[in-house]
Amino acid sequence: MRNIKLITNCERPPNYLMDISVKHWLKNGFEPKDFIFLVNNISNFDMVKSLKESYNIDAKRVSSIDEIYDPKQCVVWDDLIEYDYGAYHDRESHIINQVQQKLLESGVDVVIFLDRDELLWHESGDLRNILNTFTEPVIRPRGIEVIQNGNEGDFNLTKSVAEQRRYFRWFPSKSKACITRIPVNWITGRHGTSCGRWPHADTLAHPELQFHPEANVLEYPGLYLVHFDKMDMNLLYDLRLESQKIFKTNDRHTGVITEQQYIEWFTEAHKDTRPGRELYEDKEFLYKVGV
């Protein structure tokens, strides 16, 4: 059995998106000891306490990268304080790479980074076996977004996702090279590696990143990264507004935008007619994933 660590990060207490992801992680091959939470603690909360209350995870707080590897326990590191959203992701990207490389140097076999609204699923139903046996140095899952369609109502947090959502799109930006057995430098967002060997998978949007002679954007067969943030327009908009209160400067990705701009951003997936990128319906997928 390989020694596997899953890194994620956050700047606020657990919410409904993290609930979906963490609970799925715990049901599908991961144990609490596999997790590392990096916290930009600008909302003044106790992640160690939150993990215990929300998921019954006993975590320990560390104060430096030298303590980041614990083979027996979940680790929380309040690694920085940054109120500028763009600067946060730039600074955090560097720290994430340092943590990944430190873990691999410390005897970890596989390092994974997932955002707190993402999960991994393999169609075999045995994700852990895939993570224990893949032979490539770096692998990327197929990135799938769950997206609320116009004929679906508001999301009910007391019901499963599978009961309420059935529309998806393949989104190569989420086909991230986020699973590695070797030290790499991930670009911001973990979409690819800075060396270009495993570049950003959206070759149409980012042709400038396809410079390596052996660039590999292949997705590992049957492996999916499922992204949930767009599963409800109103809930996500509330998170956007919350983000404006947490970050003092927020002009990138989830920046200050009008309601109309938000609607245009949310619904761009519904209008995409490029072959293979259209919104599609699948009534069984999320039941298989188990959410």
Side-chain angles (χ1 to χ4, degrees):
M1 296 288 287
R2 286 175 173 169
N3 185 1
I4 300 172
K5 290 291 186 181
L6 190 161
I7 310 168
T8 193
N9 62 353
C10 62
E11 71 290 326
R12 66 190 89 182
N15 56 31
Y16 70 97
L17 293 173
M18 184 180 282
D19 286 348
I20 292 169
S21 297
V22 173
K23 290 175 182 178
H24 189 273
W25 300 346
L26 290 169
K27 290 191 301 182
N28 289 270
F30 294 103
E31 300 177 36
K33 68 179 180 62
D34 300 328
F35 301 150
I36 294 173
F37 291 85
L38 304 179
V39 181
N40 177 21
N41 203 344
I42 56 176
S43 48
N44 299 311
F45 72 102
D46 185 338
M47 190 61 175
V48 171
K49 181 179 179 182
S50 294
L51 288 171
K52 181 64 176 177
E53 292 175 347
S54 298
Y55 316 113
N56 197 30
I57 291 176
D58 292 309
K60 78 171 188 180
R61 191 183 314 281
V62 301
S63 57
S64 76
I65 194 170
D66 293 329
E67 304 171 272
I68 203 69
Y69 175 57
D70 188 322
K72 298 181 180 180
Q73 192 168 9
C74 173
V75 168
V76 172
W77 181 23
D78 290 5
D79 61 326
L80 51 70
I81 296 177
E82 177 56 70
Y83 288 92
D84 179 277
Y85 186 88
Y88 164 45
H89 284 275
D90 290 339
R91 293 177 61 193
E92 184 81 316
S93 181
H94 179 63
I95 293 172
I96 288 167
N97 282 326
Q98 288 182 316
V99 169
Q100 170 232 113
Q101 292 157 20
K102 180 71 172 179
L103 292 171
L104 292 169
E105 291 170 2
S106 301
V108 174
D109 299 305
V110 177
V111 177
I112 303 164
F113 187 97
L114 293 175
D115 288 328
R116 57 195 177 279
D117 54 5
E118 298 172 344
L119 59 82
L120 291 175
W121 176 75
H122 192 265
E123 62 186 17
S124 68
D126 192 350
L127 173 64
R128 193 72 183 201
N129 179 59
I130 299 302
L131 298 176
N132 278 324
T133 58
F134 76 89
T135 57
E136 298 86 343
V138 175
I139 59 173
R140 70 173 81 229
R142 182 172 182 81
I144 299 295
E145 285 195 310
V146 182
I147 301 179
Q148 181 183 17
N149 203 13
N151 60 356
E152 296 176 319
D154 292 342
F155 191 79
N156 185 336
L157 294 174
T158 68
K159 296 181 179 180
S160 71
V161 185
E163 292 178 84
Q164 304 176 75
R165 296 294 181 257
R166 62 181 188 274
Y167 290 93
F168 311 89
R169 71 163 170 174
W170 170 58
F171 193 41
S173 181
K174 292 295 177 181
S175 298
K176 301 179 180 181
C178 61
I179 306 171
T180 185
R181 296 172 53 226
I182 62 171
V184 294
N185 284 314
W186 282 313
I187 61 176
T188 300
R190 281 67 58 194
H191 302 283
T193 59
S194 61
C195 67
R197 178 70 176 84
W198 297 274
H200 196 297
D202 195 335
T203 58
L204 297 180
H206 294 283
E208 78 282 2
L209 298 179
Q210 318 301 316
F211 57 82
H212 196 285
E214 298 181 9
N216 182 350
V217 296
L218 295 177
E219 299 164 346
Y220 191 89
L223 182 63
Y224 294 85
L225 184 153
V226 187
H227 186 224
F228 288 91
D229 75 335
K230 285 188 175 180
M231 71 177 188
D232 189 89
M233 177 181 279
N234 293 328
L235 287 175
L236 183 58
Y237 188 63
D238 289 343
L239 288 183
R240 289 291 180 92
L241 295 179
E242 181 181 273
S243 183
Q244 310 314 318
K245 297 177 181 178
I246 295 173
F247 289 97
K248 295 179 180 178
T249 306
N250 191 357
D251 58 359
R252 188 201 301 183
H253 184 53
T254 59
V256 179
I257 53 178
T258 66
E259 184 173 343
Q260 184 58 40
Q261 287 173 319
Y262 172 78
I263 292 171
E264 291 174 3
W265 171 81
F266 191 96
T267 58
E268 57 85 18
H270 304 76
K271 305 169 186 175
D272 197 338
T273 59
R274 291 174 293 176
R277 302 198 185 195
E278 309 96 331
L279 205 66
Y280 65 90
E281 182 180 11
D282 187 330
K283 296 179 181 179
E284 302 300 324
F285 180 68
L286 290 179
Y287 284 104
K288 295 176 183 176
V289 173
V291 291

